[in-house]
Amino acid sequence: SSLLEDIVEGFRYIRSNRVVTSVLVITVIMNLFAFPYLGMVPVIGKDVLGLSPSLIGVLAAADGCGAFFGALIVAVFAQSAYFRRIFLVGSTVVLLAVLVFSLSPMFGLSISVLLIGGLGLAGFGTMQTTLIFVEVPAAVRGRVLGVLTVCIGTMPIGMLAVGYLANWLGTAHAISLMSVCGLVAISVVMLRWREIR
């Protein structure tokens, strides 16, 4: 088959499988509205929380620590019947954690919510690819994973948006607005593609 036929077949399969469609849409939502906060953690740490560079480093590492322990929990306890829910709940937890982080005036609260957000990140990240492998036949899996990579690649658009919003509204308000938009978008996905629940 030709390259064009392969691409068309991949998109045709994505449209036919509502779970895969919802995974890809949520991936775009997370990369546009949730993950761009990462670039603003040093700004929040310095300007809002008044932290030293070393404590800003601790703050930036918090979600990674949470994700590490979350991945261990998922690896040990996750059962296939709950993969979709883990993905959806993890995505929602990340967005909620980012929202609370943007509103937090205290280092202790900020690091706590980022640790919790890291747990959610583990649920989102591990199930993102797992659901593709579980749902998609081997014959088209590579093409669907390619589309997943393109969806992940939308994060620079979100980084650009949060940068412009931060310049206009302030960093904390920009992150708050982005996370609220992400939560609204996730709610729409839950209503539109109920299979993901």
Side-chain angles (χ1 to χ4, degrees), residues 38-138:
L38 293 167
M40 296 295 163
V41 169
V43 181
I44 293 284
K46 182 183 178 187
D47 295 345
V48 177
L49 302 176
L51 302 178
S52 65
S54 58
L55 287 180
I56 291 173
V58 172
L59 192 66
D63 66 335
C65 292
F68 174 75
F69 290 108
L72 292 177
I73 293 169
V74 169
V76 174
F77 296 108
Q79 299 178 5
S80 59
Y82 299 105
F83 283 175
R84 298 178 191 181
R85 290 181 189 173
I86 292 170
F87 178 73
L88 186 60
V89 170
S91 304
T92 306
V93 167
V94 172
L95 285 163
L96 287 171
V98 171
L99 177 59
V100 175
F101 169 71
S102 70
L103 302 172
S104 170
M106 299 178 297
F107 174 70
L109 177 60
S110 297
I111 199 166
S112 298
V113 296
L114 288 182
L115 284 167
I116 293 169
L119 294 173
L121 178 60
F124 166 80
T126 56
M127 292 301 126
Q128 181 184 48
T129 308
T130 301
L131 284 170
I132 299 295
F133 271 91
V134 169
E135 294 288 334
V136 179

Side-chain angles (χ1 to χ4, degrees), residues 8-37:
V8 170
E9 183 183 356
F11 278 106
R12 188 179 296 122
Y13 180 81
I14 289 167
R15 287 188 62 189
S16 71
N17 188 317
R18 292 172 60 84
V19 174
V20 172
T21 303
S22 62
V23 168
L24 296 176
V25 171
I26 290 175
T27 297
V28 171
I29 291 168
M30 295 296 288
N31 282 279
L32 286 178
F33 299 113
F35 300 141
Y37 91 94

